[in-house]
Amino acid sequence: MEGKLNFINQVDHYNRLRQHEKLNPKYHLKKDAIKNGQAKQRRYLHSSRERTFSEFLFYRHFYGNTLPTVLTEGKTDNIYLKAAIHQLAQDYPELASIKKDKSEYKLLLNFLNYNERTKYLLELYSGSDYLKDFVIHYKQNYNIYKALKPSNPVIIFVDNDTGPKDLINYVNKIADIKLYPSSSKDIRSASFVHIFNNLYLIVTPMAKGSTTTDIEFFFKDTDRLRAYKGKAFNTVANRNPELNLSKEAFATHIVHAQKNVIDFTNFKPLLDRIKKVIRHYNKIKK
């Protein structure tokens, strides 16, 4: 079904681009910019076929998802978490299955990869502004379907810094959200937040002596200092984004390429939070 809908969508997209005069300017080809913390809305532009495809994709990834779906702020976060789960799989049977001899491995999570299609059809792309709008419209999109209750959760996973401030502030104003453990004083100190339906929020854990953390914080210095083309990602205290290895290069050439030798021990608190969400939803969905 997805293959057929994808083919129809590609034909529609091609036909739209080949028109010379004059496309609705709202269909412009320039990259969309985030303005005033507002992600670019695209659903109102959908044709009937695009609307059907959009609803199908929402169902597949978020309502009828056969595995827990994880939404991160960016592509590098997916690389980090996938590599950590691969290396720690035997400790996390809810997140991956692996034989003792590591001859067979299967990831038991669905990490959504952002691209121009998710941006246009699902209004999802890199950045917490898109995640905030995803939460804003989630119930409306969720309520389209009248099938049985979803079998798996949808987990938004973000850094515990200023980046997702607007997302966290919005979630904090939603009535009846539940923080876990219940003794948590706020979202940033909670292990996870049940927003509503099958939607959850996880922020990276706070660290002793630090008021903020991002996912890169949890790499050990030995691995942060691994060099690629004469540059390293550097320690937390000494990092200079303009002089050091970029996040993308670190994720691709260090974390992914050398995942078998990287120490992911500090990632256990992050993976524990994902595991707790899955266990929580398995209890309440019945």
Side-chain angles (χ1 to χ4, degrees):
M1 175 67 76
E2 182 173 4
K4 292 179 180 179
L5 290 172
N6 186 53
F7 177 76
I8 293 169
N9 181 251
Q10 288 177 335
V11 172
D12 284 344
H13 180 67
Y14 173 77
N15 287 336
R16 181 177 292 152
L17 295 184
R18 67 194 289 265
Q19 295 178 49
H20 297 290
E21 291 292 340
K22 272 296 188 187
L23 280 177
N24 184 328
K26 296 173 183 176
Y27 288 107
H28 64 83
L29 301 179
K30 295 179 181 179
K31 299 291 184 182
D32 293 327
I34 300 293
K35 294 181 179 180
N36 301 320
Q38 183 69 36
K40 198 71 173 179
Q41 301 298 301
R42 280 287 174 252
R43 277 195 175 87
Y44 77 101
L45 296 173
H46 292 174
S47 67
S48 59
R49 288 190 294 269
E50 287 168 338
R51 191 179 309 114
T52 297
F53 195 19
S54 174
E55 292 175 358
F56 171 83
L57 290 175
F58 188 95
Y59 181 87
R60 180 177 180 272
H61 290 294
F62 311 122
Y63 194 100
N65 46 321
T66 56
L67 295 172
T69 297
V70 180
L71 300 172
T72 60
E73 289 183 80
K75 296 178 181 179
T76 55
D77 298 344
N78 286 3
I79 295 173
Y80 302 148
L81 290 171
K82 286 180 180 179
I85 293 169
H86 186 272
Q87 287 305 99
L88 301 171
Q90 292 183 349
D91 296 330
Y92 292 92
E94 292 98 337
L95 309 186
S97 62
I98 189 170
K99 287 191 174 182
K100 288 186 177 180
D101 62 0
K102 298 186 178 181
S103 60
E104 291 184 18
Y105 172 81
K106 182 180 180 182
L107 183 65
L108 300 179
L109 300 173
N110 171 39
F111 286 87
L112 190 70
N113 294 315
Y114 302 130
N115 52 39
E116 291 301 317
R117 187 177 78 170
T118 64
K119 187 179 189 180
Y120 182 71
L121 292 173
L122 292 173
E123 295 175 341
L124 272 172
Y125 205 60
S126 296
S128 60
D129 293 300
Y130 281 96
L131 294 174
K132 174 190 170 186
D133 282 357
F134 178 74
V135 175
I136 290 173
H137 299 290
Y138 192 82
K139 274 191 176 180
Q140 176 184 347
N141 295 320
Y142 180 100
N143 289 335
I144 291 173
Y145 312 100
K146 306 302 179 185
L148 297 175
K149 193 172 183 180
S151 299
N152 292 288
V154 174
I155 305 167
I156 297 173
F157 191 107
V158 297
D159 293 334
N160 204 340
D161 58 15
T162 57
K165 177 185 66 176
D166 291 340
L167 165 66
I168 291 173
N169 288 343
Y170 178 79
V171 171
N172 196 49
K173 295 175 183 177
I174 296 175
D176 300 325
I177 62 167
K178 293 181 173 58
L179 277 58
Y180 294 89
S182 56
S183 58
S184 303
K185 62 180 182 179
D186 55 26
I187 288 176
R188 291 187 181 274
S189 63
S191 290
F192 65 89
V193 182
H194 183 208
I195 303 175
F196 44 59
N197 298 339
N198 64 333
L199 187 61
Y200 290 80
L201 173 67
I202 292 175
V203 297
T204 53
M206 287 292 191
K208 187 176 181 180
S210 177
T211 57
T212 63
T213 58
D214 57 20
I215 194 168
E216 288 86 4
F217 179 92
F218 297 90
F219 286 100
K220 293 192 173 182
D221 284 345
T222 302
D223 297 314
R224 295 168 62 90
L225 292 171
R226 293 179 185 272
Y228 175 73
K229 292 187 176 181
K231 291 184 177 182
F233 195 66
N234 217 331
T235 63
V236 173
N238 298 322
R239 172 152 173 73
N240 184 332
E242 295 184 2
L243 300 176
N244 299 146
L245 205 61
S246 69
K247 288 187 177 184
E248 185 175 358
F250 177 65
T252 303
H253 300 292
I254 303 298
V255 179
H256 178 70
Q258 303 181 46
K259 64 184 177 184
N260 291 330
V261 295
I262 288 180
D263 186 350
F264 287 101
T265 303
N266 289 347
F267 271 70
K268 286 189 173 183
L270 283 67
L271 303 188
D272 285 343
R273 294 186 170 200
I274 298 176
K275 177 181 69 176
K276 288 176 181 177
V277 166
I278 294 171
R279 290 183 176 180
H280 178 264
Y281 187 70
N282 284 341
K283 289 181 180 178
I284 67 168
K285 71 180 181 182
K286 297 176 181 177

